[in-house]
Amino acid sequence: MSTRATRATRARIFAGAVVLAALPALAGTPAAAQSSASPSGVQLDFLGERELPNAMPFQGTTVGGLSAISYDARTGTYYLISDDRSQTGPARFYTAHIDLSDGTLKGVELTGTHPWLRPDGTTFPPTSTASATVAPDPEGIAVDPRDGGLVWTSEGERIVPSDGPALLGDPWIRRATTTGAYLGQLPLPPQLRMNSQEFGPRKNQTLEGVTFTPDGRRIVTAMEDPLYQDGDAPTPEHGALTRITVHDTRTGQPLAQYAYPLEPLFAPPPAGSTDTNGVSDLVSLGHARFLVLERASIYADNNWKARIYLVDLHGATDVLGRDSLTAPSARPVKPVHKTLVTDLSDVPGLPRVDNVEGITLGPRLPDGRRTVVLVSDDNFAARQVTQFIAFAIHGI
């Protein structure tokens, strides 16, 4: 990209096209689309993939760490949250235009960026144990379908040294304007607060995904992995239970909570690694149904797995207020029902699967199909990519 282009306030990025011409077309879908049907009855037609340049400069920031995506149907704007903990720049989010006008993913254009602001209107400084400062760990973002306001989540912090005081920061769900100004914070169930003991969330495994229901009346969040008291994180030998929480949008109060069954880790990790599988995002379909994105890795090998599930809360046990889901004395728990929609590794024409962390419903195509857009978090690493992946979806 030219120096002039990188200084522009708007950056249009058209990454290398995915080569699909040799793949057979499907009747009734664009020639570039490939279908992925599942026992859920939901079908995804692949519309393409685009990648942003690594460490791309944009309006004084370095683009990277894009951990969630949300679409505002009122304005056609996409919101993307970066998980930069005020290291390369202030904790922030981006806006974007994504071109799906002809039924393929033609391009991605970043259109703006804003820092998240504290209640006093200042930006967040980096985490510092010396000053007991905790920066947010931004992970989830969602647009209120009624007024276009934002909610965003932070995973908080848990640093527990063996020879000094703990540095703790609770996860949060905050409300904000579309320019990042603070508007309030939702109360959390006490089980989701950080603790220096092995009770509550693990470090970097807390509030990962957030979505509004289509009517805007509920905010729904997903914990990435289990609380300490809910059992071990997934390994190749076993899965785990994490938690989905439903909040009232008006009051912010938690109304219900459900156990979500995570898949086992897809491959053996190296000794001593923290590799596991977890929920990275979710998007509401209405009527207590969601698309949930699970993401796993063998990080040393840059080997990523991302799967989309159709999830239904009907019939699941409300576990709000329960300290543990798995303790011997705990009452039996019926988790939510989930069905695999697609494993991205099995999508024909998708050139690679990176650290895919975000999912949203996009606009309808001219033929009536709704779109689904995914984004990956490159961890600000040269060996990874920021990729956008688009599908058209049937059966929701």
Side-chain angles (χ1 to χ4, degrees):
M1 182 175 291
S2 69
T3 303
R4 180 179 179 183
T6 59
R7 285 201 299 257
T9 58
R10 291 165 65 90
R12 183 176 295 273
I13 297 90
F14 294 102
V18 179
V19 180
L20 296 173
L23 298 175
L26 296 171
T29 67
Q34 292 295 309
S35 291
S36 173
S38 79
S40 67
V42 174
Q43 178 176 305
L44 293 175
D45 300 337
F46 179 54
L47 302 181
E49 184 252 22
R50 293 290 181 269
E51 298 176 5
L52 302 189
N54 185 259
M56 187 187 82
F58 178 75
Q59 293 186 3
T61 72
T62 299
V63 177
L66 302 185
S67 295
I69 184 170
S70 188
Y71 176 69
D72 185 352
R74 298 160 57 256
T75 64
T77 300
Y78 290 83
Y79 290 85
L80 300 150
I81 195 168
S82 172
D83 68 2
D84 185 355
R85 304 192 67 178
S86 295
Q87 294 294 319
T88 73
R92 61 194 176 277
F93 64 97
Y94 295 89
T95 54
H97 172 72
I98 298 176
D99 189 352
L100 295 162
S101 57
D102 68 352
T104 62
L105 177 52
K106 296 176 66 175
V108 177
E109 176 190 4
L110 297 185
T111 57
T113 184
H114 297 280
W116 297 114
L117 300 180
R118 297 186 287 182
D120 65 2
T122 61
T123 58
F124 289 94
T127 293
S128 168
T129 54
S131 62
T133 299
V134 175
D137 184 0
E139 292 292 349
I141 191 168
V143 180
D144 189 328
R146 300 168 303 174
D147 62 14
L150 302 178
V151 295
W152 64 288
T153 65
S154 167
E155 290 199 285
E157 183 59 277
R158 185 180 187 274
I159 300 174
V160 185
S162 59
D163 58 352
L167 181 61
L168 303 176
D170 283 334
W172 72 47
I173 311 162
R174 287 193 169 180
R175 304 179 196 262
T177 68
T178 55
T179 56
Y182 174 86
L183 291 179
Q185 184 167 316
L186 278 63
L188 286 181
Q191 294 79 12
L192 304 191
R193 296 190 176 278
M194 284 296 186
N195 196 308
S196 60
Q197 306 301 310
E198 291 193 349
F199 184 92
R202 292 172 164 88
K203 178 183 175 68
N204 199 35
Q205 293 178 301
T206 74
L207 291 174
E208 189 79 8
V210 62
T211 184
F212 281 90
T213 54
D215 61 10
R217 297 177 59 201
R218 300 289 183 262
I219 297 169
V220 184
T221 63
M223 294 288 288
E224 183 174 5
D225 281 298
L227 305 176
Y228 276 109
Q229 64 268 28
D230 289 340
D232 293 334
T235 71
E237 289 73 38
H238 64 77
L241 292 178
T242 189
R243 302 191 187 207
I244 290 175
T245 307
V246 180
H247 292 253
D248 180 83
T249 300
R250 183 179 62 83
T251 66
Q253 292 293 327
L255 300 177
Q257 191 177 77
Y258 304 96
Y260 177 91
L262 291 163
E263 296 301 304
L265 183 60
F266 67 97
S273 82
T274 58
D275 293 325
T276 190
N277 178 51
V279 173
S280 62
D281 205 0
L282 76 170
V283 62
S284 176
L285 304 176
H287 307 290
R289 299 192 311 152
F290 301 82
L291 294 178
V292 173
L293 178 62
E294 290 187 34
R295 180 279 327 269
S297 72
I298 305 298
Y299 187 76
D301 298 334
N302 199 29
N303 186 8
W304 302 92
K305 173 74 73 174
R307 289 167 286 198
I308 301 171
Y309 292 88
L310 179 66
V311 172
D312 194 329
L313 305 186
H314 287 107
T317 305
D318 184 351
V319 298
L320 186 66
R322 291 201 192 185
D323 282 343
S324 175
L325 304 181
T326 58
S329 60
R331 299 188 303 278
V333 171
K334 182 179 180 181
V336 302
H337 178 75
K338 74 175 193 180
T339 309
L340 180 67
V341 174
T342 193
D343 183 326
L344 293 189
S345 301
D346 298 332
V347 174
L350 182 59
R352 65 172 122 186
V353 178
D354 206 271
N355 180 26
V356 179
E357 287 205 5
I359 186 170
T360 191
L361 292 178
R364 291 193 181 276
L365 297 174
D367 62 13
R369 292 176 298 164
R370 192 74 187 267
T371 51
V372 174
V373 182
L374 311 175
V375 70
S376 74
D377 172 0
D378 69 352
N379 290 311
F380 293 93
R383 69 176 185 170
Q384 292 182 240
V385 296
T386 297
Q387 63 180 166
F388 292 80
I389 304 166
F391 296 93
I393 188 167
H394 309 254
I396 61 170

